[in-house]
Amino acid sequence: MNQLPCPKGSRAVLVGASTFQRLEGLPAVQANVPALRSLLTGPSGPFLTGNCSSLVDPASTREVSAAFRQAAKEATDTLLIYYAGHGLLDETGELYLAVPDSDHTSVYDTSLPYDWIRRAVRTTGAGRRIVILDCCYSARAFGPQSESFMDVAEVDGTYVMAAAGETAVALAPPGETYTAFTAELLATLRDGVPGAAELLDLNVIFRHLQGQLKTKRRPVPLDLDRNGLGTTPFIRNNAYVPAVLPDHGGHDMLHLLESTPRTATVAQLVSSVGMLHEQRSATATDLVRTALQVRAIAELAPLLSALYAAGFQAPAESALPAMLLARPVKESAQLVDLLHMASADECVVSLLRLSARLHPAHDATAFASELDRAGLPEHALAILSSFAITREIEETVTLIRLICRRESGGALETVMRSVATRRPVTDVTQLFPYLAPENLSRARDLLCRSAAEHRNAAETAALISAFGQAGHTQIARRMVEIGLTVRGPQYMAELVAALQSARLFQEAADARVIAVQTWLVQDISQFIAHLLAVGQQHHALAAAVNTAHMRSIGDFGAIAEQLTSLNADLEVKALLDHAARTCQPDEASYLLTRLDAVGNSNAAERIFWLSLSRPLGHAAKTLQHLVQEQSRFLTDRGIHTLCRSQHPHAIAKLAIALERVLPDKTNLLLDVTDRPVHHVAALIDSLEKGISNTLSNRVLTAVAEKWGHQEQAQLVIALEERSQVGCAEYLTQRITHSKVFTETLRAMRTKPSQPEPWWPWWPSNRSNYEPSQYTHTAYRVSSADETVHSIARRYGVRDAGIIEENNLQWPYELSQGQCLSIPLQSGSSRFMVPRFPRKLGPQRIHPDVRVLQGLLKTAGYMAEDVPESDNYGPLTCQAVTRFNVDHLLSDNNNPADDRRITQKGWDILHRIQRAQRVQ
């Protein structure tokens, strides 16, 4: 492929992403694509206009992928893919290209995988495959750009050219039309390269724009050429000036090739190479190759320097491999030394790169040793590092063994750092088994340390996972310890998050515990703050609990204070809320006790009250642990303070939980002395709406014993207004012996200023209210699944009434067939006595039979599909019989009466129906 690309068989896809919804905008990218397309499809361009597709701000990744696939399918000579925009890395280190809808928090779902480009170029029939990336895959939020960019961008058999930027500002300088990299690429294609050949190859283009960017102190680009594609012509050189052919005195081409390499001066050789490079590039390479093999080392340095300076890098680099393989490594090292003194840096880089690629491990180490003796230790390390990161695993292991035998500590450290930081994570894990022998233990330790010191958190988590699966748990722990020592709190918080994402829960917990055990107070505070910042509230809370257990009370107080100053109040409250929601009872108790001990009483009280919102068993256990800790919250003085400072709803929760742990102290919470009526009414209302208990009855009993008639009557009215009618009835029954109370209550109910209640069943004149004549009913428990609360809801009565009436003990368990006495104290509404139809009986026709059938269906004694009628027939008799049996209303002396509905049964059925409507 020594000719320019064939326009008919060549395809190009140019993609630019400039505007984003969730990433920083790149306005300059919008001008890149049309300008580059104009040059590539111009008079001297290698592509036809119809064969060059351009996409600016594509709507979706599917649109870009379709363009890639179509171009790859149609290309037979050259395939070029260009992208400008943001590059992103996911948690595994894979490269993604951003589109306008991309999101850095969800890279995998919203961005274009670079692997799609790999697939396109691998499946194409084009002989030349070129990828140009003008992007950076990291922004300020993601950290600096990795040195392993080319490793993730590489596609075998393809020339890759990439801009090396760290931020969007460096990628697109403010006020400039194009991005920094593409601007120089456009200038090189448009203006050409002075002194170069008539046809520009990719290597010449790259070196020219690289030099221009260096001069302007812009980010330096990277290139990768795995198959020599960089030396093939790509576009015509607009700066080309034809050279005057040198006078060879009539010598023919054969004489030129035979005599010139040995006898000609450097200037004559360069002139001859220039003439042949224009006409026969392969012959020019042969001329250089011969000269490099037959001339003395002292003569090769000026020759190579002159060739590179004249722009003939292609024939020189094509000839260098043969020279390196033919010459002893000592002579190659001497040549590098001479080139270094001549400041021919590009030639030196080529020699070192080729040596690392071509020489076996033994020759590479020998070459490095010769360079070290020549006073070029940096060059020696460059060869060894390049060898270690580019060759196969087995070759790298051989190199490491040779370095260990030579006892070159500095070289070993540099090589292991390069391997740990530049090779893929999978290679690093595969390398460890080879380093198991004792004589390679130092190399293994250096690899572990370097990986822990330089890899990002996601990569370190992947390494720890691989080591754990391979049984190297000590190495995994060592990496965590190194991160603790070297990387600091922010990195460790990110590592814990990465381990958690990788489902390495135990490893994440171990890393957190080690941090709390070993770090200073300030570092622990920052660690917890960073855990909150990366969304690891669970680990932030666990770190706080670990600190409370493992550090002194002074350390814990300092950490709590610093954490408050490092985080906004909202984050601290969120952490406390998380503690109350997720901590075990002993952890919550210990944490709030420590906070209270260091003077952070507000935080302690927040955890205390939020813990009471957990299930009753959890709240009771928390209080039990607080009793053991001798917390101030459960002293007589503390409880008395809580009664006067907290909302009745919170006091009700505390009272219900405290009844399970310290029932003797519950009376302190339920004390009604000097408490206002509305406060007590709210407390009773909260107790009734909580879990089944009898505490509300205890409050009502205390009111009946300690309050005056005026306050008692006010409380009855307040309870009725809160729909706690059953409590009002209970209190009224406790003090009905007092005529003064009865008259006071009647007077309050008949006051003109008393507002009418909103419920429709309430009579306009309360003094005319007539309660039901039935105050109790019996009920046989039909299933072990029934509870006190479910039965109370069924009848619309109070839990406390059933518990006290039947003397039930906590946890109020019921058994199938157990007979209960149900006090008919209304739970949320008074029961108005309905009219009982006296002539209602079996085998009779009566209009109220339909009402009875509806009540039986509501109570679950008659199937819903039974048609309603005025006939008291067999199905109605069967349903009434079942109802009477359950409620012990049957007459054993006269079984025929079991089918008849009684006034009490009629009363109870209406109560069940009303209770279900209220629910």
Side-chain angles (χ1 to χ4, degrees):
M1 293 186 292
N2 295 323
Q3 303 297 324
L4 290 172
C6 175
K8 291 185 178 180
S10 300
R11 297 292 185 272
V13 180
L14 313 180
V15 181
S18 62
T19 58
F20 303 88
Q21 298 179 12
R22 301 173 184 85
L23 302 175
E24 185 178 1
L26 303 172
V29 171
Q30 201 164 19
N32 285 2
V33 173
L36 183 58
R37 187 173 189 271
S38 176
L39 281 174
L40 294 178
T41 59
S44 59
F47 297 93
L48 298 175
T49 303
N51 294 343
C52 184
S53 303
S54 61
L55 301 173
V56 178
D57 292 331
S60 65
T61 57
R62 182 178 296 178
E63 180 181 357
V64 181
S65 177
F68 287 164
R69 293 197 307 271
Q70 183 67 21
K73 181 179 179 181
E74 296 175 356
T76 58
D77 184 273
T78 300
L79 173 65
L80 184 145
I81 293 176
Y82 168 89
Y83 172 83
H86 280 301
L88 306 172
L89 287 180
D90 68 0
E91 62 274 9
T92 64
E94 291 294 328
L95 177 63
Y96 287 76
L97 306 180
V99 295
D101 192 40
S102 295
D103 186 355
H104 67 81
T105 62
S106 184
V107 175
Y108 180 83
D109 300 326
T110 60
S111 306
L112 178 75
Y114 185 81
D115 190 59
W116 291 4
I117 296 180
R118 286 195 183 98
R119 295 181 184 178
V121 299
R122 283 173 180 165
T123 58
T124 185
R128 314 179 204 218
R129 295 171 287 182
I130 306 166
V131 178
I132 302 176
L133 299 176
D134 187 359
C135 67
C136 55
Y137 59 82
S138 62
R140 186 176 303 170
F142 314 134
Q145 184 167 354
S146 169
E147 294 180 354
S148 60
F149 177 83
M150 299 309 296
D151 293 334
V152 296
E154 176 184 350
V155 182
D156 290 338
T158 300
Y159 183 90
V160 181
M161 188 185 302
E166 292 183 359
T167 64
V169 175
L171 180 69
E176 295 189 14
T177 306
Y178 309 106
T179 59
F181 173 83
T182 300
E184 294 301 332
L185 177 63
L186 293 171
T188 303
L189 298 179
R190 181 182 63 250
D191 303 333
V193 179
E198 181 181 3
L199 303 180
L200 295 178
D201 58 40
L202 294 170
N203 284 340
V204 173
I205 294 172
F206 174 79
R207 278 190 291 271
H208 180 75
L209 69 89
Q210 185 184 51
Q212 295 297 318
L213 288 169
K214 282 184 178 179
T215 303
K216 297 179 180 179
R217 296 188 177 182
R218 296 286 173 83
V220 180
L222 308 172
D223 76 323
L224 183 67
D225 183 10
R226 288 298 191 193
N227 60 346
L229 182 60
T231 61
T232 60
F234 176 72
I235 197 171
R236 294 190 178 277
N237 184 8
N238 292 330
Y240 171 72
V241 177
V244 179
L245 292 178
D247 183 11
H248 288 282
H251 294 291
D252 58 11
M253 187 64 65
L254 180 60
H255 179 74
L256 178 68
L257 291 175
E258 290 180 348
S259 60
T260 301
R262 293 175 174 81
T263 61
T265 64
V266 170
Q268 290 173 337
L269 272 173
V270 173
S271 178
S272 298
V273 170
M275 178 192 68
L276 293 173
H277 184 64
E278 297 172 7
Q279 300 174 2
R280 299 181 181 180
S281 59
T283 306
T285 300
D286 291 338
L287 180 61
V288 177
R289 184 183 297 113
T290 304
L292 294 179
Q293 291 178 353
V294 301
R295 293 229 175 192
I297 290 296
E299 297 176 352
L300 297 186
L303 173 60
L304 290 171
S305 299
L307 288 173
Y308 271 81
F312 301 135
Q313 295 93 336
E317 290 185 354
S318 299
L320 282 175
M323 185 216 71
L324 283 172
L325 295 176
R327 299 265 189 174
V329 293
K330 187 173 183 179
E331 292 184 2
S332 299
Q334 184 181 358
L335 177 58
V336 171
D337 188 19
L338 294 172
L339 289 169
H340 176 68
M341 289 187 293
S343 299
D345 294 336
E346 291 188 29
C347 188
V348 170
V349 171
S350 298
L351 276 170
L352 298 179
R353 182 187 302 167
L354 288 170
S355 176
R357 190 178 69 181
L358 299 174
H359 280 148
H362 185 276
D363 290 345
T365 53
F367 193 10
S369 298
E370 293 296 335
L371 289 172
D372 204 18
R373 292 190 188 98
L376 299 173
E378 294 182 357
H379 296 70
L381 294 177
I383 286 181
L384 297 176
S385 298
S386 180
F387 186 102
I389 64 177
T390 58
R391 305 293 282 269
E392 297 295 330
I393 292 291
E394 292 77 7
E395 295 176 302
T396 302
V397 172
T398 302
L399 178 73
I400 294 171
R401 287 173 179 165
L402 291 171
I403 296 174
C404 289
R405 288 175 189 172
R406 294 174 181 267
E407 297 183 355
S408 179
L412 181 62
E413 185 174 352
T414 301
V415 168
M416 300 316 297
R417 181 169 60 251
S418 299
V419 171
T421 58
R422 299 288 300 277
R423 294 202 74 135
V425 172
T426 53
D427 288 356
V428 177
T429 56
Q430 291 176 13
L431 191 59
F432 261 89
Y434 292 101
L435 304 179
E438 186 64 28
N439 59 338
L440 298 179
S441 60
R442 175 167 168 74
R444 183 175 63 250
D445 293 341
L446 287 173
L447 184 61
C448 173
R449 171 173 288 278
S450 298
E453 289 179 352
H454 300 288
R455 290 281 188 179
N456 60 41
E459 294 171 337
T460 305
L463 286 171
I464 291 174
S465 176
F467 293 147
Q469 293 175 3
H472 303 303
T473 55
Q474 292 298 326
I475 296 176
R477 183 179 178 87
R478 176 64 177 155
M479 293 192 70
V480 174
E481 293 174 348
I482 293 172
L484 284 168
T485 306
V486 179
R487 307 295 291 273
Q490 181 174 357
Y491 166 80
M492 284 306 300
E494 294 172 355
L495 178 60
V496 169
L499 291 171
Q500 191 74 14
S501 299
R503 304 185 66 80
L504 301 174
F505 307 124
Q506 186 60 47
E507 287 79 358
D510 291 343
R512 183 195 70 234
V513 172
I514 295 173
V516 171
Q517 287 177 333
T518 58
W519 269 344
L520 298 175
V521 168
Q522 183 176 0
D523 292 334
I524 297 176
S525 303
Q526 294 179 357
F527 177 54
I528 297 175
H530 287 302
L531 284 173
L532 289 171
V534 296
Q536 294 296 318
Q537 285 82 3
H538 172 72
H539 281 288
L541 172 59
V545 175
N546 295 147
T547 304
H549 282 282
M550 299 177 182
R551 305 302 288 260
S552 65
I553 189 68
D555 287 350
F556 182 77
I559 290 171
E561 183 178 354
Q562 291 184 14
L563 186 62
T564 305
S565 63
L566 287 172
N567 292 274
D569 290 340
L570 183 61
E571 292 184 355
V572 174
K573 289 180 179 178
L575 180 62
L576 297 177
D577 292 349
H578 192 68
R581 289 195 303 268
T582 61
C583 267
Q584 295 299 320
D586 58 334
E587 294 177 341
S589 171
Y590 195 83
L591 187 60
L592 71 88
T593 302
R594 280 297 183 99
L595 288 170
D596 200 34
V598 298
N600 200 340
S601 57
N602 292 334
E605 290 181 4
R606 185 172 183 85
I607 295 179
F608 176 80
W609 289 112
L610 290 174
S611 296
L612 294 177
S613 299
R614 301 281 294 277
L616 178 60
H618 183 282
K621 288 181 179 179
T622 302
L623 293 179
Q624 189 172 5
H625 285 290
L626 286 175
V627 172
Q628 298 173 359
E629 296 286 343
Q630 297 181 350
S631 172
R632 68 172 176 86
F633 290 100
L634 299 184
T635 62
D636 292 353
R637 182 176 180 181
I639 292 176
H640 185 271
T641 302
L642 293 177
C643 293
R644 299 299 183 265
S645 61
Q646 295 298 322
H647 190 274
H649 181 65
I651 297 175
K653 288 183 177 180
L654 177 58
I656 294 173
L658 197 61
E659 178 72 6
R660 309 293 181 260
V661 182
L662 293 174
D664 56 323
K665 288 185 178 290
T666 309
N667 291 331
L668 296 175
L669 284 173
L670 304 180
D671 184 22
V672 297
T673 305
D674 299 330
R675 296 174 74 172
V677 172
H678 70 277
H679 192 283
V680 176
L683 175 62
I684 294 172
D685 185 47
S686 298
L687 290 171
E688 283 291 303
K689 293 177 179 177
I691 197 168
S692 299
N693 65 86
T694 60
L695 299 179
S696 55
N697 280 6
R698 288 165 63 178
V699 176
L700 293 170
T701 301
V703 168
E705 295 174 354
K706 299 180 180 181
W707 279 12
H709 297 315
Q710 184 75 16
E711 290 80 4
Q712 292 171 346
Q714 291 176 356
L715 181 59
V716 169
I717 300 299
L719 290 173
E720 291 174 346
E721 290 174 350
R722 289 178 176 269
S723 296
Q724 294 297 339
V725 180
C727 295
E729 291 176 350
Y730 182 86
L731 179 59
T732 303
Q733 293 171 5
R734 300 284 298 186
I735 49 181
T736 50
H737 61 279
S738 174
K739 294 183 179 180
V740 177
F741 167 76
T742 304
E743 293 174 357
T744 303
L745 180 60
R746 182 181 298 110
M748 285 188 177
R749 282 179 171 167
T750 56
K751 282 183 179 179
S753 59
Q754 185 71 24
E756 289 294 327
W758 58 269
W759 40 83
W761 47 266
W762 195 260
S764 57
N765 189 350
R766 298 185 186 182
S767 60
N768 296 332
Y769 169 76
E770 294 292 340
S772 171
Q773 61 178 315
Y774 304 107
T775 59
H776 290 73
T777 186
Y779 176 70
R780 180 180 285 109
V781 179
S782 59
S783 171
D785 295 333
E786 288 190 283
T787 63
V788 170
H789 186 64
S790 66
I791 296 174
R793 285 174 61 86
R794 174 181 174 84
Y795 290 98
V797 300
R798 301 172 56 229
D799 299 7
I802 298 177
I803 295 171
E804 283 194 346
E805 183 71 21
N806 296 275
N807 195 25
L808 300 177
Q809 302 297 319
W810 172 258
Y812 313 136
E813 293 180 351
L814 304 177
S815 59
Q816 186 174 359
Q818 181 178 357
C819 294
L820 298 176
S821 175
I822 312 294
L824 299 180
Q825 301 169 355
S826 300
S828 59
S829 61
R830 290 188 184 274
F831 175 58
M832 302 299 295
V833 181
R835 181 187 61 82
F836 177 67
R838 295 289 181 182
K839 297 181 179 180
L840 189 64
Q843 308 302 326
R844 301 192 66 173
I845 297 176
H846 194 283
D848 283 335
V849 174
R850 292 179 180 272
V851 178
L852 174 62
Q853 292 170 345
L855 294 172
L856 290 170
K857 288 180 180 180
T858 301
Y861 289 97
M862 179 176 281
E864 291 290 340
D865 57 352
V866 175
E868 296 180 1
S869 67
D870 294 340
N871 183 25
Y872 199 129
L875 293 179
T876 305
C877 291
Q878 293 174 9
V880 171
T881 300
R882 288 195 296 272
F883 171 77
N884 287 336
V885 170
D886 282 351
H887 294 82
L888 306 180
L889 299 177
S890 300
D891 188 354
N892 295 329
N893 297 325
N894 188 5
D897 287 345
D898 290 348
R899 300 175 299 168
R900 182 183 300 277
I901 188 69
T902 64
Q903 183 173 355
K904 186 175 183 179
W906 179 264
D907 203 342
I908 295 171
L909 283 173
H910 274 280
R911 182 181 295 280
I912 294 173
Q913 183 186 59
R914 180 175 293 103
Q916 294 200 5
R917 287 177 180 174
V918 172
Q919 294 173 17

